Amino acid sequence: CLVSNIDYDQFKGKMGIARITNGSVKANQPVALSRPGKDKKTGRLTSLFVFDNLGKKEVEMASAGEIIQFSGLDGVEIGDTLVTNEGGVEPAEPLPPIAVEQPTVRMTLGVNKSPLAGREGKFLTSRMIRDRLFKELDRNVALRVEETDSADKYAVSGRGQLHLTVLIETMRREGFELEVGPPVVIYRTNEETGKVEEPFEMVEVRVPEEYSGSVIDLFNTRSGELQDMGLDDGGESMSVIKYLIPTRGMLGLRSSLLTATRGTAIIDAVFDSYREKIPGDIQSRDKGSLLAFEDGTITSFGLENAQDRGKLFVKAGDETYKNMIVGIHQRPGDLAVNVCKTKQLTNMRSATKGITVGITAPIDMSLDACVEYIATDEILEVTPTKFRMAKNPDMLGKKGKK
């Protein structure tokens, strides 16, 4: 049987999942893992399960056609063939292995170093983050974790931005505090041509006809190549647009698509292939950020003055610190605003007198929206209850030296 997935149990260790194509297998039976061109790994099945409805049950024997889960072979990987030598006959030849998709996007995860760090999370240190990331490798087969030059940061690679944000969200709910860098594409060099290649994705968008022009404009500005366009067979006046686009262009595209189509777009994307890198940069964001001018507590008076400069992410009463991103600037380039400014109180003026302009409700940024928003010189602070974006202090220091 060909191992098509793996799982991990705290007590039984690494477990393989496979469908038996020929013969049978028993619990505590000597078996081997075989793969073309590699040495066999022998062992004994310590436990054997079959899937029953939505759960699974332990059995003594399973035969052809059943989907099994087994333990006892710590070196099991996707693509291995589980073989037995029952009856003294020659062992079966390994089945053609299946390959796991290689990572295409990389992000850095590290210790939260912001001035507001350590107030909410339970797991804060680099050792705890490192142990959690490497533990994830036991069941997340497409994930890659590498140590960097800094002891506080780790490079995590996965199959797209969604793959990595799911991991970050899981760790956040477990009580971790993290500092997350922007997603970057993993390039590779073609050994035959010597040229640098980047990953491309095939994207299919279903959208009402009146928004199809906006969708095409967005893809064209991100170096997309139109593959097909037509009407949906469902008869609901929906357009189906297919594009081949570099993964660089897909970073941050989802939010723009939903905004341009009033939330009606249905987006499906799948990895296509590695192709020659498109020269130049792909524009991902045309507006700058509003930055907090100083540390402190945000006030209504400060928001009233700042909201004229753009759209805000914060509300009165929130804690902030210098160079924290508090909103979207309405023009290119960053702008520092004093959202902690307080009104001068005298015997002629009260705290509420003179407020005639209403304060606009802030934009509620989810984890996906924050990851899509941050630029190369920005970071995301993830805590169990909050997401805060800020300028990367390391890159600010380099700019100051220049």
Side-chain angles (χ1 to χ4, degrees):
C1 55
L2 182 67
V3 178
S4 57
N5 202 356
I6 61 173
D7 199 359
Y8 185 82
D9 185 88
Q10 187 175 356
F11 303 101
K12 298 182 182 296
K14 208 170 186 180
M15 306 182 74
I17 300 174
R19 181 177 180 270
I20 301 177
T21 56
N22 188 19
S24 61
V25 65
K26 300 176 182 177
N28 297 314
Q29 179 181 1
V31 293
L33 292 174
S34 178
R35 187 187 283 256
K38 293 188 178 181
D39 296 334
K40 290 185 178 180
K41 295 175 281 189
T42 59
R44 185 181 296 270
L45 297 186
T46 57
S47 60
L48 182 65
F49 298 87
V50 297
F51 289 86
D52 182 27
N53 294 326
L54 297 178
K56 57 188 178 184
K57 61 181 180 180
E58 190 167 3
V59 295
E60 291 297 322
M61 186 182 75
S63 55
E66 292 185 290
I67 300 175
I68 62 171
Q69 183 173 10
F70 58 89
S71 64
L73 300 168
D74 291 335
V76 61
E77 299 289 346
I78 290 180
D80 290 342
T81 302
L82 183 71
V83 296
T84 63
N85 192 16
E86 196 167 334
V89 297
E90 289 294 325
E93 291 295 323
L95 298 171
I98 57 177
V100 179
E101 287 186 16
Q102 295 301 309
T104 58
V105 175
R106 179 185 294 116
M107 297 174 68
T108 58
L109 273 64
V111 177
N112 184 13
K113 298 179 182 177
S114 83
L116 302 179
R119 299 189 178 187
E120 303 168 18
K122 295 185 295 183
F123 308 108
L124 311 171
T125 64
S126 60
R127 179 185 62 81
M128 293 176 176
I129 295 173
R130 183 186 186 279
D131 292 345
R132 178 63 180 83
L133 289 176
F134 280 94
K135 182 180 178 182
E136 183 72 17
L137 299 178
D138 291 330
R139 57 161 53 94
N140 202 334
V141 294
L143 199 70
R144 302 286 185 273
V145 179
E146 302 170 4
E147 297 189 5
T148 63
D149 297 336
S150 172
D152 298 332
K153 294 181 181 179
Y154 302 93
V156 184
S157 307
R159 296 179 298 179
Q161 179 181 308
L162 179 63
H163 186 198
L164 298 177
T165 51
V166 168
L167 170 63
I168 296 171
E169 177 67 17
T170 303
M171 294 178 66
R172 181 185 75 87
R173 296 186 181 188
E174 292 174 358
F176 282 87
E177 279 196 20
L178 302 169
E179 182 181 279
V180 180
V184 294
V185 169
I186 300 175
Y187 300 104
R188 74 177 189 185
T189 303
N190 191 315
E191 297 180 355
E192 298 179 358
T193 63
K195 295 182 178 179
V196 178
E197 295 181 337
E198 65 176 328
F200 277 70
E201 297 184 19
M202 184 64 69
V203 184
E204 180 181 288
V205 181
R206 295 176 182 269
V207 67
E209 285 187 66
E210 60 264 31
Y211 300 126
S212 59
S214 301
V215 172
I216 292 173
D217 287 342
L218 277 173
F219 276 101
N220 288 341
T221 57
R222 291 170 176 260
S223 303
E225 182 181 327
L226 182 63
Q227 302 293 306
D228 189 19
M229 181 177 177
L231 295 176
D232 191 6
D233 297 334
E236 298 181 0
S237 67
M238 296 283 285
S239 295
V240 181
I241 305 170
K242 294 183 180 180
Y243 262 89
L244 183 66
I245 183 172
T247 303
R248 276 190 300 159
M250 282 297 294
L251 299 177
L253 181 63
R254 178 178 169 275
S255 298
S256 301
L257 274 177
L258 292 177
T259 301
T261 61
R262 306 296 188 271
T264 58
I266 302 174
I267 310 164
D268 293 312
V270 63
F271 172 75
D272 182 76
S273 61
Y274 267 88
R275 304 186 178 212
E276 186 176 345
K277 180 185 175 184
I278 296 176
D281 295 330
I282 297 177
Q283 182 179 358
S284 59
R285 200 175 79 194
D286 56 353
K287 296 181 180 179
S289 300
L290 296 176
L291 308 179
F293 179 73
E294 60 182 356
D295 301 358
T297 303
I298 298 173
T299 63
S300 300
F301 185 68
L303 292 179
E304 182 183 348
N305 297 323
Q307 67 183 3
D308 296 333
R309 303 291 186 175
K311 300 177 181 178
L312 299 176
F313 299 147
V314 294
K315 63 181 184 297
D318 289 347
E319 295 288 326
T320 187
Y321 52 89
K322 187 176 182 180
N323 289 325
M324 175 177 154
I325 298 174
V326 296
I328 305 173
H329 192 200
Q330 57 190 2
R331 295 184 178 89
D334 299 331
L335 177 69
V337 292
N338 191 356
V339 290
C340 302
K341 186 177 182 181
T342 57
K343 179 181 289 189
Q344 297 298 323
L345 301 180
T346 67
N347 58 349
M348 299 297 294
R349 183 184 297 165
S350 65
T352 57
K353 185 178 180 181
I355 297 181
T356 57
V357 180
I359 297 176
T360 307
I363 302 174
D364 188 14
M365 296 288 282
S366 64
L367 175 61
D368 283 330
C370 290
V371 170
E372 289 185 352
Y373 180 82
I374 54 177
T376 54
D377 62 339
E378 297 167 352
I379 55 174
L380 170 64
E381 177 189 352
V382 178
T383 71
T385 60
K386 291 183 177 65
F387 304 116
R388 303 185 188 97
M389 295 174 286
K391 287 293 177 180
N392 191 335
D394 298 333
M395 300 190 73
L396 285 174
K398 292 179 181 178
K399 289 181 179 179
K401 292 177 184 178
K402 291 180 181 178

